[in-house]
Amino acid sequence: MERYHSADREPQEQPQAPKTYRRRPALARWVGLLVALLTLTVGLKFTAFNATYTAGVVSRSTVGEKVINRLNNELSDIGITGDPVTTSLVQPYLAQGIRQIYGQQTMTVDSTDLANAISAQASSMGTTASTTLTQSLTKRAQKLVDQAFGTTAMQTAAGKLQQAMRLNQWIMIGVGLLLVVTMIYAIGVHHFLGSLGPGLALGGLLTAILGALGWIVGLPLAVATVTGTGKSLLLAVGHGSLGVVIFLGVAEIVLGLLVLLGHRTFRNS
């Protein structure tokens, strides 16, 4: 009877061959390009286009040194020596001037630290700095910063910086949205880590290259029409910002290689 009913038996399922890993180099290259652009724009947003960071760079530049030296010289003229005015004390005032150049809303500077430093230095010399004196010097600090950033060269640089800030903002938003969509697609095709590792490594390499090109070629061209204090200020801020961008690129290369190595080890196991 078995031979008569053999045709009625359900065919046995054949074991399926294991699926082979499919490489997607085009997706990895696309992720790398987006990572490079996002790193570059985010890096500039938090360095060159950030008033606090820029104030720190400016306070160590010739612009900051002039303000600090003039304040300390005025204190020396009234008998308070020892250069109590330092970089960190002047930085909040410089940040105010930079916010004006960036077209951002300014805030009242807290002059307590500067006044305390002047009073402490006067006390160490056996004299007393009156409240009227410290208030006068803090106002003088604000006036010196306004003079330093109110030049024609600074105003010319301000227009270029504000245009660059707006362009950088829109590029950062657009690239961020594209990267989110790309990662969702990579998850859908089960290629998230396979794209993330090479993408980070390639993106970091592109970021480092773009940062180096900006340092060598782009920045000199950008400040070619700017002269005087504005040029030295832009060069100081640009070099500091591009240095951070290059560092981020190198860090992404290392991180991408680690992700790629971990993904390959997990896939082989």
Side-chain angles (χ1 to χ4, degrees):
M1 294 293 293
E2 184 177 357
R3 65 180 180 178
Y4 294 109
H5 296 284
S6 60
D8 298 335
R9 293 180 179 176
E10 295 181 358
Q12 297 181 354
E13 295 182 358
Q14 298 294 329
Q16 296 181 353
K19 294 182 180 180
T20 59
Y21 177 75
R22 181 182 176 185
R23 298 181 182 273
R24 298 179 183 270
L27 180 60
R29 288 193 293 267
W30 174 246
V31 172
L33 178 61
L34 293 179
V35 167
L37 291 175
L38 187 63
T39 304
L40 185 62
T41 53
V42 171
L44 291 176
K45 178 177 176 60
F46 288 100
T47 54
F49 301 144
N50 181 275
T52 302
Y53 173 85
T54 306
V57 176
V58 174
S59 64
R60 296 185 294 272
S61 68
T62 56
V63 177
E65 289 176 358
K66 288 180 180 179
V67 175
I68 293 171
N69 291 336
R70 291 188 66 175
L71 288 173
N72 284 322
N73 290 337
E74 292 184 11
L75 287 172
S76 297
D77 292 340
I78 59 177
I80 303 176
T81 59
D83 297 341
V85 181
T86 60
T87 299
S88 60
L89 294 175
V90 171
Q91 184 172 335
Y93 296 92
L94 294 172
Q96 287 290 85
I98 292 168
R99 287 191 181 93
Q100 293 178 0
I101 288 180
Y102 286 173
Q104 299 174 351
Q105 184 178 4
T106 58
M107 300 174 293
T108 303
V109 179
D110 186 2
S111 59
T112 303
D113 291 339
L114 180 58
N116 289 340
I118 296 172
S119 299
Q121 184 65 21
S123 298
S124 66
M125 300 181 64
T127 61
T128 302
S130 64
T131 304
T132 303
L133 174 62
T134 55
Q135 289 178 351
S136 175
L137 286 171
T138 54
K139 291 179 180 179
R140 180 61 176 162
Q142 185 65 61
K143 185 176 180 180
L144 289 173
V145 170
D146 292 339
Q147 291 176 352
F149 287 99
T151 62
T152 304
M154 285 294 186
Q155 296 305 314
T156 302
K160 293 187 175 183
L161 281 170
Q162 290 178 20
Q163 292 177 357
M165 287 175 65
R166 288 192 292 268
L167 179 61
N168 185 81
Q169 182 75 14
W170 285 112
I171 293 175
M172 183 182 67
I173 294 173
V175 171
L177 292 175
L178 282 175
L179 188 59
V180 170
V181 173
T182 302
M183 288 294 97
I184 293 175
Y185 170 78
I187 293 173
V189 296
H190 305 289
H191 208 270
F192 177 73
L193 292 178
S195 301
L196 183 62
L200 281 174
L202 178 59
L205 179 61
L206 291 175
T207 301
I209 292 174
L210 290 174
L213 288 176
W215 186 300
I216 299 171
V217 180
L219 191 57
L221 290 176
V223 301
T225 58
V226 184
T227 58
T229 307
K231 184 174 183 178
S232 62
L233 174 62
L234 289 176
L235 285 175
V237 175
H239 286 154
S241 303
L242 291 174
V244 173
V245 168
I246 293 173
F247 173 79
L248 291 175
V250 174
E252 285 177 348
I253 293 174
V254 176
L255 181 61
L257 292 176
L258 290 175
V259 173
L260 183 61
L261 178 63
H263 174 62
R264 182 168 296 179
T265 303
F266 175 78
R267 191 183 70 208
N268 292 336
S269 62

